Amino acid sequence: MTARGRLTTACTVALILLLGACSGDGDDGDPPRAESTASSEVTEPAADLPSGWTEQRAGELVFALPQDFRQSGGNGTDQGSQTTWTLDDGSEVPARVDVFVEESQVGTLEIRGGLLRSRLEAELGAQVGEPQPVEVVGASDAEQFTYTYEIDTSEGRTPVRQVDLLVDRPSLPKYGIRYAATADAYDEDVWEQLRSSLVLEGSNGG
């Protein structure tokens, strides 16, 4: 398996396991998949964006990404869906953004976050920081936490830094968004701008 493949597997296995552990009885139909939408068709973001950023959508979650992030994949299960955008810079392990749409009963934010952090520690050997509350327009609650782990690359063991933000609301679906990059390529400004652009539509936040 290539290094990029290992990173993809590592980044997705924890939340897939979490969804399986927390899911209740769901509908028989296929869940909606996250879709990219042109900026003219979505709500204005929560903050002004830097030049070269474009708006995207996953379900009712509206956000923005630098234009050199390309949608690179996605998958769906009966519990929800995931869509990935990858930085198109030719690097062996490019930065990526994963957006999760959770259609099943995943519990309160406290339960959901605790289970995810436990999975990350168990499956990736991640060093997970304490969750921090954040504000997301339209959400009833949200928290983020950062963590690091290592993968094998052509240069040997390489540290990866990730941040997960879990978005809560009174009804389904619920959402998660993740930004990941090798430790030397992780850009805090990209994450801060991405986080500030988040808007959850169709919810009064209560």
Side-chain angles (χ1 to χ4, degrees):
M1 182 182 289
T2 65
R4 183 174 301 183
R6 280 189 292 270
L7 179 59
T8 300
T9 300
C11 288
T12 58
V13 65
L15 193 55
I16 290 172
L17 288 170
L18 170 63
L19 291 173
C22 295
S23 62
D25 292 335
D27 297 333
D28 293 333
D30 292 333
R33 292 175 181 264
E35 295 181 356
S36 174
T37 307
S39 60
S40 62
E41 299 174 334
V42 299
T43 299
E44 288 297 317
D48 292 335
L49 298 175
S51 175
W53 284 57
T54 58
E55 293 179 30
Q56 308 288 344
R57 175 189 294 273
E60 294 176 315
L61 186 69
V62 180
F63 56 100
L65 292 174
Q67 61 186 7
D68 49 359
F69 275 75
R70 313 293 186 188
Q71 189 170 337
S72 59
N75 59 69
T77 69
D78 56 355
Q79 290 87 30
S81 62
Q82 172 196 337
T83 305
T84 297
W85 286 261
T86 304
L87 180 61
D88 186 15
D89 64 352
S91 63
E92 182 179 2
V93 184
R96 58 184 283 141
V97 171
D98 298 314
V99 179
F100 304 93
V101 181
E102 300 178 359
E103 299 285 349
S104 64
Q105 297 294 337
V106 291
T108 65
L109 189 63
E110 181 180 6
I111 292 172
R112 181 180 167 206
L115 286 171
L116 177 54
R117 288 186 290 275
S118 294
R119 293 294 188 182
L120 292 166
E121 291 170 350
E123 298 296 328
L124 304 181
Q127 303 297 313
V128 184
E130 290 296 317
Q132 302 294 325
V134 296
E135 291 187 6
V136 173
V137 175
S140 58
D141 202 1
E143 69 177 25
Q144 72 172 43
F145 49 89
T146 60
Y147 49 100
T148 58
Y149 61 94
E150 292 187 341
I151 59 170
D152 291 320
T153 69
S154 61
E155 298 180 355
R157 297 291 288 174
T158 299
V160 173
R161 183 180 179 190
Q162 292 187 180
V163 55
D164 277 25
L165 193 158
L166 304 182
V167 180
D168 202 20
R169 66 191 305 185
S171 59
L172 295 174
K174 300 184 180 184
Y175 295 89
I177 189 164
R178 170 180 295 158
Y179 170 55
T182 56
D184 60 354
Y186 186 96
D187 191 329
E188 189 67 41
D189 288 339
V190 167
W191 172 245
E192 292 297 330
Q193 294 285 356
L194 169 56
R195 187 180 69 181
S196 69
S197 74
L198 292 169
V199 175
L200 182 58
E201 296 182 333
S203 174
N204 61 13

